[in-house]
Amino acid sequence: MSSLLSQLTRLHEEGHRLDLPDMLSDASFADADRTAEAAVLIAVTDQANPGVILTQRPTTMRDHPGQVAFPGGKLDAGEDAVAAALREAEEELALDRRHVQLVGITDQYQTGTGFNITPVLGVIPPDLPLVAEAREVESWFEAPLSLLMDPRNWTKHSVHWRGADRQYLEMDYQGYRIWGVTAAILFNLSRRLAWMEQIDG
């Protein structure tokens, strides 16, 4: 087991023993008539300065067009979240599931567009020859884990949506706007892992 995998596994286990209040969710905005189970892969690269693999969705997509996202999608019949996340990463980025060392699942996120998303955390080797599947991924990039896990780097915003004020987080990284669901999942994960406390401590 690599040192990063060991560290993330320990932090994941410790963090999920805690009862953390006020985790981010859009459950109050969810459309009860359109709900689907989905999963995403939070793939962390195993290197001195770990990164997280993120994608830019094409503007032609039905759901969340043009947004930065994790590899992922709806669960197929008979799949669990882990199987779906690994399959979607293979389909979207040619990320062979054999390269993914699983850490575990983290807090489910309910979106306002009707998805119950289960994030799956895993570690992958650096510099894999990832290839974007053009119909599902416009481009992909790697953002530093320490940047994403630092709450001080996120800007808070509010927008009036579906009759109520919705709070959301946002960050710009090399021209990519990371916000909405992806930002919320990362922020929730940062609370579970307490990653910056490990670095600053």
Side-chain angles (χ1 to χ4, degrees):
M1 181 182 290
S2 73
S3 59
L4 177 63
L5 178 62
S6 177
Q7 184 181 23
L8 286 177
T9 299
R10 176 178 60 80
L11 295 176
H12 178 272
E13 291 176 351
E14 292 175 356
H16 282 82
R17 293 192 196 107
L18 303 176
D19 181 16
L20 297 179
D22 304 322
M23 298 295 274
L24 299 181
S25 174
D26 278 334
S28 61
F29 296 98
D31 183 354
D33 295 327
R34 181 177 179 259
T35 301
E37 297 298 321
V40 297
L41 180 64
I42 306 175
V44 181
T45 53
D46 193 354
Q47 53 190 340
N49 296 306
V52 175
I53 302 298
L54 294 167
T55 68
Q56 176 92 47
R57 293 169 64 84
T59 56
T60 54
M61 299 291 282
R62 174 185 174 186
D63 295 302
H64 307 285
Q67 292 189 17
V68 168
F70 301 103
K74 295 179 185 177
L75 273 64
D76 284 346
E79 279 188 323
D80 61 15
V82 171
L86 295 176
R87 173 183 54 76
E88 288 283 350
E90 284 187 329
E91 292 176 358
E92 294 182 10
L93 293 174
L95 200 171
D96 192 323
R97 68 186 66 195
R98 292 175 296 181
H99 290 309
V100 182
Q101 295 178 289
L102 293 173
V103 174
I105 64 173
T106 187
D107 297 273
Q108 190 175 75
Y109 189 90
Q110 190 168 10
T111 75
T113 51
F115 291 96
N116 295 322
I117 302 176
T118 300
V120 178
L121 181 62
V123 174
I124 64 172
D127 303 319
L128 289 176
L130 303 180
V131 179
E133 206 292 315
R135 291 172 297 179
E136 298 188 72
V137 176
E138 183 174 297
S139 62
W140 69 270
F141 64 102
E142 183 177 343
L145 179 65
S146 59
L147 178 79
L148 301 174
M149 292 292 102
D150 189 341
R152 297 168 294 188
N153 293 329
W154 295 101
T155 303
K156 295 182 180 180
H157 297 278
S158 178
V159 64
H160 197 71
W161 189 53
R162 294 185 179 176
D165 288 331
R166 180 201 176 202
Q167 309 296 318
Y168 68 93
L169 301 173
E170 182 175 359
M171 176 192 301
D172 180 84
Y173 177 71
Q174 297 186 351
Y176 288 100
R177 182 191 182 207
I178 308 171
W179 71 291
V181 173
T182 301
I185 289 174
L186 287 166
F187 192 84
N188 285 346
L189 180 64
S190 75
R191 295 188 63 196
R192 286 293 178 195
L193 297 183
W195 183 261
M196 295 313 297
E197 285 85 336
Q198 306 299 312
I199 296 176
D200 295 339

